[in-house]
């Protein structure tokens, strides 16, 4: 059924599991529309907007992997309501050469996704990172 919040949540879960986790970034085309508006910052506090195609998003994930090394990725929750899907995650990797080499970096991320026609068309992301021993 179009607009089914459960179906939209399943799209986001698959995207997080396969693509955002870094496990299979080349599957981005399965989950993302041909052009996605990526808002850097939560709704109401956006700092920048970037347009991305699925291939560009896959490249972005690979860039993050190069900077943070292999990481662990844990989805903390996914909920759907009012035409949007909210997701939260924790990603743990290694600090790069710029900050504290050899230390762990934990990213606490949250995003709101708009899903239309079985694909993510827009999202708002907010993440903070901390270096831990």
């Amino acid at each position: 059924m179009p607009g089914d919040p459960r179906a939209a949540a399943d799209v986001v879960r698959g995207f997080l599991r396969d693509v955002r986790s870094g496990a299979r970034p080349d599957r981005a085309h399965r989950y993302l529309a041909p052009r996605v508006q990526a808002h850097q910052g939560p709704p109401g506090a956006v700092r920048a907007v970037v347009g991305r195609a699925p291939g560009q998003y896959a490249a972005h994930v690979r860039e993050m992997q190069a900077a943070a090394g292999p990481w662990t990725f844990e989805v903390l929750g996914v909920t759907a309501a009012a035409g949007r899907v909210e997701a939260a995650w924790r990603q743990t990797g290694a600090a790069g050469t710029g900050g504290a080499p050899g230390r762990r970096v934990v990213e606490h991320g949250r995003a709101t996704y708009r899903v239309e026609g079985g694909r993510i068309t827009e999202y708002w992301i907010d993440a903070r990172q901390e270096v831990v021993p």
Side-chain angles (χ1 to χ4, degrees):
M1 154 191 327
D4 179 4
R6 289 173 301 201
D10 287 345
V11 169
V12 170
R13 281 188 195 93
F15 169 75
L16 294 171
R17 179 192 63 236
D18 289 345
V19 182
R20 180 62 184 77
S21 70
R24 297 170 206 81
D26 291 324
R27 290 189 179 178
H29 67 281
R30 292 184 182 186
Y31 303 102
L32 299 178
R35 195 76 178 157
V36 175
Q37 290 295 309
H39 303 267
Q40 307 299 310
V46 172
R47 296 179 298 277
V49 179
V50 177
R52 286 200 173 115
Q56 292 170 314
Y57 193 91
H60 173 62
V61 170
R62 286 192 287 280
E63 288 169 4
M64 289 189 298
Q65 287 176 314
W71 61 60
T72 60
F73 189 84
E74 178 186 5
V75 175
L76 302 176
V78 175
T79 58
R84 295 188 181 184
V85 179
E86 303 276 338
W89 64 86
R90 181 176 33 243
Q91 173 181 315
T92 304
T97 57
R103 299 193 66 190
R104 293 177 352 146
V105 173
V106 178
E107 176 182 282
H108 304 276
R110 176 174 291 293
T112 301
Y113 298 91
R114 182 187 318 267
V115 178
E116 297 173 349
R119 298 280 190 274
I120 296 168
T121 60
E122 188 172 20
Y123 65 86
W124 295 259
I125 186 167
D126 192 33
R128 65 177 174 79
Q129 294 182 344
E130 63 180 324
V131 177
V132 296

